């Protein structure tokens, strides 16, 4: 292949193989930054940057459009984060929203006991009693130091506490929680929505908002954090119609991800087993995504029965509630308590999944043989250094050696994989990686391209407009005018003239902009421009005046 031959057929592509690759892109291109970084950060908290906020807003907008605007049986809500403490008492969160923790008496760490049990026994525990029996029988050990001297596991509540009012009297009088889920706001507003919107069953309420959990082991970038955003639905149905409604929502929610371009092979449904179910749930199906760290929950879709509405209704068990949350059925002429189907998704997890799914590194040009030979030698030397390295966990060692050997054998086709290895935080601890980077980054920069194949509706920017030459005022004026027209048409558009066209394309590919428009000399004569498609890299000439309508139609 010649140096400038770019053919779609011969592109060798590579999805994101490690979370480090995604983290690195996110930092480099302004999607997500570590929070409070000027003070050294705050563990597992992240700020969405200029492109990240656009992407996440687009994910939330797409969700809202699909579950509220495009349906006739749904209403939206935006409930307060701070709620009366009694909400959390009667929802059961004060008593049960906790993770079992054990203390290692030897090394003083505090691991999650259910995770230790699952990792060491190869299955989930059936409850606290089974975990504690295993601790007592010394069947499980500290994952850090291996000691079997573990304390009995105790529940650790995940809700953040704060207090309302100017004085903290120290007696819990002003105690409130930062909500650990948005769901309760919808349950306690069931009657308000029902009455004001004159709804009949079945109908649902949707809400997007922040939730807070004092997670013991946050991590995997934005996958598990202590402050996150949820996109939740509570769908109310007549008892007996719950199972069909559950099936309907499972299909709806799965299709939502697929329609927004998520690859079907990376999405699966997992039926929760009996012992995993929350005590009130009749059934729960998790939608899982194949993240770089493995299959993990993206969204849970549960049948919560009538538990929540009953819990917040006045009864001998709840003397604090002011009334009953129930529904008068005109047909049967009697009151009933609806069942609830709850599709509960994370906006941050969905955003991360779309990013991972869209990511691709592609080899677009063959690098010179001598550069490849030099790089191969360095990667082989890296593999040998890892092999000799003392104090590195055996599984990490094995992974790095196997990856490096496979890359060395397959170069230059494996250049995209090398990009992942160059961004791997564990690989960075090996001295020779600096040399690999010195040579590899230059070759990668010239011969590969990174693309985010985001659905146009999700992409942070929709269009980028360039003048072919920035020192020609006629081209600049026309390009700027076109950008304004597209902006007015509601398309998120930017103007850029800070590099050669090829470089500008690469920049936009890396952040997932679906269309790049170039204004060239022909444009001045016939008012046409080239539209370059991110995925096919094909260019088409189109009348500038038709562009806004044509692109808006492709977003609809
Ligand atoms: P997990 O098992 O991963 O802790 P969960 O079953 O506790 O999740 P739910 O209470 O069902 O989660 O919350 C619904 C959704 O909210 C999850 O599917 C996930 O997308 C999101 N979510 C929950 N906890 C977090 C978190 N700590 N960070 C980011 N997103 C979260």
């Amino acid at each position: 292949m010649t140096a400038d031959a770019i053919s779609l057929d011969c592109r060798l592509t590579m999805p994101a193989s490690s979370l480090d690759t995604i983290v690195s892109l996110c930092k480099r291109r302004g999607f997500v930054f570590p929070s409070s970084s000027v003070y050294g950060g705050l563990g597992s908290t992240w700020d969405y940057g200029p492109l990240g906020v656009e992407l996440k807003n687009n994910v939330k907008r797409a969700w809202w459009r699909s579950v509220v605007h495009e349906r006739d049986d749904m209403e939206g809500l935006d409930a307060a984060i701070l709620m009366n403490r009694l909400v959390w008492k009667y929802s059961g969160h004060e008593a049960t929203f906790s993770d079992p923790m054990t203390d290692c008496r030897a090394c003083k760490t505090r691991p999650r006991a259910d995770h230790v049990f699952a990792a060491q026994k190869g299955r989930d525990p059936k409850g606290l009693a089974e975990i504690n029996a295993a601790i007592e029988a010394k069947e499980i050990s500290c994952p850090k130091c291996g000691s079997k001297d573990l304390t009995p596991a105790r529940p650790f509540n995940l809700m953040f506490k704060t207090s309302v009012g100017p004085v903290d009297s120290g007696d819990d009088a002003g105690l409130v929680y930062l909500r650990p889920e948005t769901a309760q706001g919808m349950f306690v507003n069931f009657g308000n929505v029902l009455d004001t919107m004159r709804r009949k069953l079945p109908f649902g309420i949707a809400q997007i908002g922040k939730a807070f959990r004092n997670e013991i082991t946050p991590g995997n970038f934005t996958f598990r954090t202590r402050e996150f955003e949820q996109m939740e639905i509570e769908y109310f149905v007549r008892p007996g119609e719950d199972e069909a409604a559950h099936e309907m929502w499972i299909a709806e929610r799965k299709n939502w991800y697929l329609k927004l371009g998520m690859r079907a092979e990376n999405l699966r449904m997992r039926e929760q087993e009996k012992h995993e179910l929350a005590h009130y749930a009749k059934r729960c199906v998790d939608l899982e995504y194949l993240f770089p760290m493995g299959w993990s929950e993206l969204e849970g879709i549960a049948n919560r029965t009538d538990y929540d509405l009953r819990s917040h209704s006045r009864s001998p068990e709840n003397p604090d509630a002011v009334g009953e949350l129930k529904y008068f059925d005109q047909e049967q002429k009697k009151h009933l308590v609806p069942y609830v189907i709850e599709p509960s998704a994370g906006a941050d997890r969905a955003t991360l999944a779309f990013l991972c799914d869209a990511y691709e590194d592609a080899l677009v040009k063959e690098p010179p043989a001598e550069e490849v030979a030099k790089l191969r030698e360095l990667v082989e030397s890296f593999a040998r250094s890892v092999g000799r390295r003392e104090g590195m966990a055996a599984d990490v060692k094995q992974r790095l050696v196997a990856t490096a050997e496979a890359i060395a054998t397959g170069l230059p086709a494996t250049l995209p994989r090398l990009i992942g290895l160059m961004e791997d935080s564990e690989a960075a601890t090996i001295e020779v990686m600096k040399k690999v980077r010195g040579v590899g980054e230059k070759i990668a920069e010239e011969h590969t391209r990174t693309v985010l194949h985001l659905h146009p509706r999700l992409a942070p920017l929709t269009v980028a407009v360039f003048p072919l030459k920035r020192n020609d005022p006629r081209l600049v004026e026309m390009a700027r005018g076109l950008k304004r027209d597209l902006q007015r048409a509601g398309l998120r558009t930017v103007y850029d003239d800070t590099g050669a066209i090829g470089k500008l394309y690469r920049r936009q590919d890396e952040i997932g902009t679906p269309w790049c428009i170039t204004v060239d000399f022909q444009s001045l004569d016939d008012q046409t421009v080239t539209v370059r498609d991110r995925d096919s890299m094909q260019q088409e000439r189109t009348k500038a005046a038709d562009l806004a309508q044509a692109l808006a139609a492709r977003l609809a």
Side-chain angles (χ1 to χ4, degrees):
M1 190 170 33
T2 60
D4 52 7
I6 300 175
S7 133
L8 277 183
D9 297 330
C10 67
R11 277 192 304 144
L12 294 154
T13 62
M14 188 66 206
S17 53
S18 78
L19 216 46
D20 286 334
T21 311
I22 299 293
V23 176
S24 160
L25 174 78
C26 284
K27 278 195 222 163
R28 193 168 68 242
R29 296 307 313 271
F31 282 88
V32 180
F33 307 122
S35 177
S36 323
S37 56
V38 296
Y39 290 108
L42 173 66
S44 295
T45 41
W46 304 93
D47 296 339
Y48 285 83
L51 297 181
V53 65
E54 297 289 344
L55 173 62
K56 190 163 126 179
N57 279 346
N58 289 343
V59 169
K60 291 189 282 184
R61 212 172 283 133
W63 184 87
W64 192 264
R65 172 174 158 168
S66 148
V67 308
V68 181
H69 291 178
E70 290 180 351
R71 297 184 64 103
D72 300 321
D73 53 357
M74 294 287 299
E75 302 287 354
L77 185 78
D78 184 10
I81 289 175
L82 302 179
M83 302 175 85
N84 189 315
R85 177 186 173 182
L86 294 171
V87 170
W88 305 108
K89 174 173 174 185
Y90 290 106
S91 68
H93 283 78
E94 272 195 342
T96 61
F97 192 61
S98 56
D99 283 339
M101 309 298 297
T102 174
D103 288 295
C104 171
R105 291 194 183 93
C107 72
K108 312 290 178 219
T109 52
R110 179 177 288 174
R112 255 186 80 164
D114 52 338
H115 287 177
V116 177
F117 185 102
Q120 296 179 16
K121 304 269 260 174
R123 65 173 175 83
D124 289 331
K126 296 209 169 66
L128 200 60
E130 191 180 19
I131 296 173
N132 281 336
I135 289 176
E136 176 128 12
K138 307 244 179 269
E139 288 167 6
I140 56 178
S141 54
C142 171
K144 185 156 180 234
C145 73
S147 163
K148 297 200 161 152
D149 195 4
L150 301 174
T151 63
R154 283 164 299 132
F156 175 86
N157 199 291
L158 299 178
M159 286 195 292
F160 280 101
K161 289 177 179 174
T162 186
S163 58
V164 290
V167 186
D168 182 358
S169 52
D171 61 358
D172 280 357
L175 171 66
V176 290
Y177 299 102
L178 299 186
R179 68 179 177 201
E181 60 175 33
T182 67
Q184 299 302 322
M186 291 182 271
F187 296 132
V188 298
N189 274 296
F190 167 76
N192 294 334
V193 175
L194 180 69
D195 295 345
T196 55
M197 306 313 286
R198 308 175 144 269
R199 279 288 178 184
K200 298 244 173 318
L201 290 181
F203 79 94
I205 307 179
Q207 173 163 232
I208 298 177
K210 289 266 184 173
F212 304 82
R213 294 182 190 176
N214 201 358
E215 298 277 6
I216 314 301
T217 43
N220 285 324
F221 195 31
T222 53
F223 178 83
R224 189 182 301 285
T225 50
R226 297 194 172 101
E227 171 183 345
F228 55 97
E229 243 174 320
Q230 289 188 309
M231 307 188 290
E232 294 196 295
I233 296 166
E234 305 305 335
Y235 193 74
F236 303 99
V237 296
R238 283 185 185 77
E241 293 174 7
D242 51 313
E243 290 179 12
H246 198 183
E247 290 298 341
M248 178 273 287
W249 276 112
I250 293 168
E252 281 286 308
R253 294 301 308 137
K254 185 173 173 210
N255 280 336
W256 182 76
Y257 293 100
L258 296 178
K259 273 198 252 159
L260 287 170
M262 194 169 278
R263 285 177 260 196
E265 67 271 24
N266 289 343
L267 195 62
R268 74 176 185 193
M269 289 190 302
R270 191 181 72 83
E271 187 83 34
Q272 280 196 11
E273 289 181 34
K274 274 254 154 349
H275 71 268
E276 293 176 84
L277 287 177
H279 62 95
Y280 47 75
K282 180 167 158 187
R283 184 184 170 210
C284 185
V285 170
D286 286 346
L287 283 180
E288 295 189 332
Y289 179 75
L290 186 54
F291 286 95
M293 67 277 187
W295 287 104
S296 311
E297 179 181 327
L298 197 52
E299 167 161 356
I301 306 163
N303 181 340
R304 299 177 67 116
T305 70
D306 55 4
Y307 172 81
D308 305 279
L309 295 183
R310 280 196 194 281
S311 305
H312 293 302
S313 291
R314 195 171 176 88
S315 70
E317 290 78 45
N318 183 348
D320 294 311
V322 295
E324 286 180 63
L325 297 173
K326 56 189 183 185
Y327 174 82
F328 185 72
D329 193 333
Q330 295 287 356
E331 283 162 31
Q332 300 179 40
K333 300 276 178 259
K334 65 169 192 183
H335 281 102
L336 60 88
V337 182
Y339 267 39
V340 176
I341 305 300
E342 179 192 74
S344 173
D348 308 87
R349 271 190 204 177
T351 303
L352 181 61
F354 282 120
L355 265 176
C356 293
D357 212 67
Y359 185 94
E360 180 193 62
D361 270 322
L363 183 67
V364 287
K365 241 174 25 176
E366 190 90 3
E370 62 280 16
E371 287 186 28
V372 174
K374 191 168 165 196
L375 188 58
R376 182 175 297 121
E377 229 169 75
L378 283 169
V379 177
E380 283 166 354
S381 151
F382 168 83
R384 286 194 298 275
S385 296
V386 175
R388 287 194 300 269
R389 175 66 168 267
E390 282 173 16
M392 186 178 249
D395 56 332
V396 176
K397 220 173 189 181
Q398 204 180 0
R399 176 178 66 81
L400 290 180
V401 171
T403 310
E405 282 175 352
I407 290 171
T409 316
L411 279 172
T414 46
L415 251 184
R417 264 186 95 180
L418 179 64
I419 296 173
L421 187 67
M422 290 191 299
E423 285 168 354
D424 189 303
S425 47
E426 273 142 346
T429 62
I430 305 291
E431 189 58 26
V432 70
M433 185 35 97
K434 277 198 202 126
K435 285 193 188 156
V436 174
R437 280 225 201 95
V439 177
E441 275 170 5
K442 186 169 167 288
I443 302 182
E445 161 82 23
E446 287 167 16
H447 301 87
T448 64
R449 79 169 184 141
T450 300
V451 196
L452 287 183
H453 295 284
L454 289 166
H455 188 286
R457 243 190 251 163
L458 298 185
L461 305 179
T462 312
V463 194
V465 185
F466 318 133
L468 185 66
K469 294 221 174 310
R470 70 171 156 183
N471 51 9
D472 189 314
R474 295 166 310 160
L475 297 181
V476 169
E477 190 188 334
M478 184 172 170
R480 286 196 182 277
L482 184 57
K483 186 215 70 169
R484 272 194 302 275
D485 292 346
L486 296 174
Q487 269 177 337
R488 275 194 208 113
L491 300 167
R492 181 86 173 96
T493 312
V494 293
Y495 168 90
D496 195 358
D497 64 6
T498 58
I501 296 295
K503 192 161 190 173
L504 297 181
Y505 282 158
R506 289 169 64 92
R507 263 192 221 156
Q508 296 298 329
D509 286 345
E510 208 182 21
I511 59 171
T513 310
W515 299 294
C516 290
I517 316 285
T518 305
V519 172
D520 57 17
F521 292 105
Q522 187 182 331
S523 312
L524 300 174
D525 293 336
D526 64 6
Q527 304 295 304
T528 64
V529 290
T530 62
V531 182
R532 188 255 196 185
D533 181 273
R534 173 199 67 199
D535 299 334
S536 67
M537 294 195 281
Q538 302 292 332
Q539 300 184 17
E540 243 176 49
R541 280 209 90 85
T542 310
K543 277 204 161 331
D546 297 343
L547 252 184
Q549 213 181 355
L551 296 182
R554 290 168 79 173
L555 280 179

